[in-house]
Amino acid sequence: MSKIPLILVPGLLCDDALWAPQTRLLSDIADIAVGETQIDNCFSAMAERILKTAPRHFALAGLSMGGYVCMEIMRQAPERVERLALFNTSGRADTADQTKRRKALIELATIGKFKGVTPRLLPLLIHKDRQSDKELTNAVIEMAGRVGQAGFLRQQTAIMNRPDRQAEMAMYDLPTMVVCGRQDALTPLDLHEEMKELIPHARLCVIEECGHLSTLEQPHAATDLMRGWLLRN
């Protein structure tokens, strides 16, 4: 059986390590590439960059900000995407309060106070029971360090300026899986339930004992869901 072309898109302050378990565990059925999200400051350019080197047809999955990029890919080239998985994300635009917080973080980073993901921020990203898991927390902090200040500024600019995608979701005509960690503090379950209702025939999957970074927090659960999604007719 030929392998399924699969493009994975990381979130804010994340790189290919976000998808390392899936890249390894799905290699028997998928030909995997991880999209670049650190160079551009708008999602249209990120999507164009990914599409430029992508196969003619492919499966597509994104987490958090990576989900926003996937939605832009769906806007630009829906005919090329054969199936879609949206992890820990939302179809909504930023609220005024969210944009205000992002601008404050951008200001701090601009004056040289960028610290990536600090232990203080980890409760927003991972389940409370995993806060003492040094392998996991170090992986999250190290990803943020690799993305760096400049990448963070570009990504936050893109996120602040993203449009609302809810009307577009009603036009998605492909197998779609929406995945949420039960305890996701940044994009809670109700936002995923909303997407499930908007996208025709979407399947909602909830990962228990899990926060925002589900592919790293619960890698086997996330991978099992992806395997079923990739193989489902």
Side-chain angles (χ1 to χ4, degrees):
M1 182 180 74
S2 59
K3 292 187 178 183
I4 302 164
L6 171 61
I7 295 175
L8 305 174
V9 190
L12 174 70
L13 286 175
C14 296
D15 58 16
D16 55 358
L18 178 71
W19 297 101
Q22 292 70 44
T23 300
R24 182 178 73 257
L25 296 170
L26 294 172
S27 62
D28 60 320
I29 62 167
D31 184 7
I32 299 172
V34 177
E36 172 59 67
T37 59
Q38 301 177 31
I39 296 173
D40 304 294
N41 65 1
C42 65
F43 291 139
S44 60
M46 292 182 196
E48 288 169 7
R49 184 180 298 277
I50 290 170
L51 286 166
K52 188 174 182 179
T53 58
R56 181 173 177 82
H57 298 287
F58 52 89
L60 178 65
L63 186 148
S64 193
M65 185 197 77
Y68 307 150
V69 179
C70 290
M71 295 171 204
E72 175 61 19
I73 290 173
M74 285 296 298
R75 186 191 71 82
Q76 291 187 21
E79 72 285 352
R80 294 179 62 184
V81 184
E82 295 188 333
R83 57 190 66 226
L84 176 67
L86 299 171
F87 283 75
N88 305 88
T89 191
S90 167
R92 298 185 182 187
D94 250 14
T95 64
D97 285 345
Q98 287 172 325
T99 297
K100 183 178 180 180
R101 288 194 293 271
R102 293 188 200 283
K103 287 181 176 178
L105 290 170
I106 287 173
E107 184 176 354
L108 284 174
T110 301
I111 63 175
K113 295 185 178 180
F114 171 75
K115 296 182 180 179
V117 174
T118 68
R120 185 178 62 182
L121 296 176
L122 286 171
L124 293 174
L125 297 175
I126 60 178
H127 190 277
K128 61 182 179 63
D129 291 345
R130 303 296 299 280
Q131 301 298 311
S132 60
D133 184 335
K134 291 301 182 183
E135 183 177 357
L136 175 60
T137 58
N138 287 343
V140 175
I141 291 169
E142 288 166 7
M143 278 196 298
R146 290 192 294 271
V147 172
Q149 179 196 58
F152 170 76
L153 294 176
R154 288 190 286 266
Q155 291 177 342
Q156 285 284 33
T157 299
I159 293 171
M160 286 191 303
N161 293 317
R162 76 187 189 279
D164 190 288
R165 300 292 192 186
Q166 294 180 89
E168 296 174 11
M169 287 181 169
M171 296 182 286
Y172 289 2
D173 184 21
L174 76 173
T176 302
M177 179 173 67
V178 177
V179 183
C180 180
R182 175 74 70 182
Q183 289 80 25
D184 189 335
L186 290 179
T187 52
L189 179 57
D190 63 316
L191 295 179
H192 296 79
E193 291 172 335
E194 181 178 77
M195 287 189 291
K196 191 266 181 186
E197 292 303 315
L198 289 168
I199 300 171
H201 314 298
R203 178 174 179 239
L204 173 63
C205 301
V206 180
I207 299 178
E208 302 296 339
E209 303 299 318
C210 186
H212 188 62
L213 299 181
S214 57
T215 57
L216 282 179
E217 290 182 66
Q218 297 287 356
H220 292 289
T223 302
D224 286 347
L225 289 173
M226 292 188 72
R227 183 176 292 274
W229 163 73
L230 286 169
L231 297 177
R232 191 172 298 114
N233 292 327

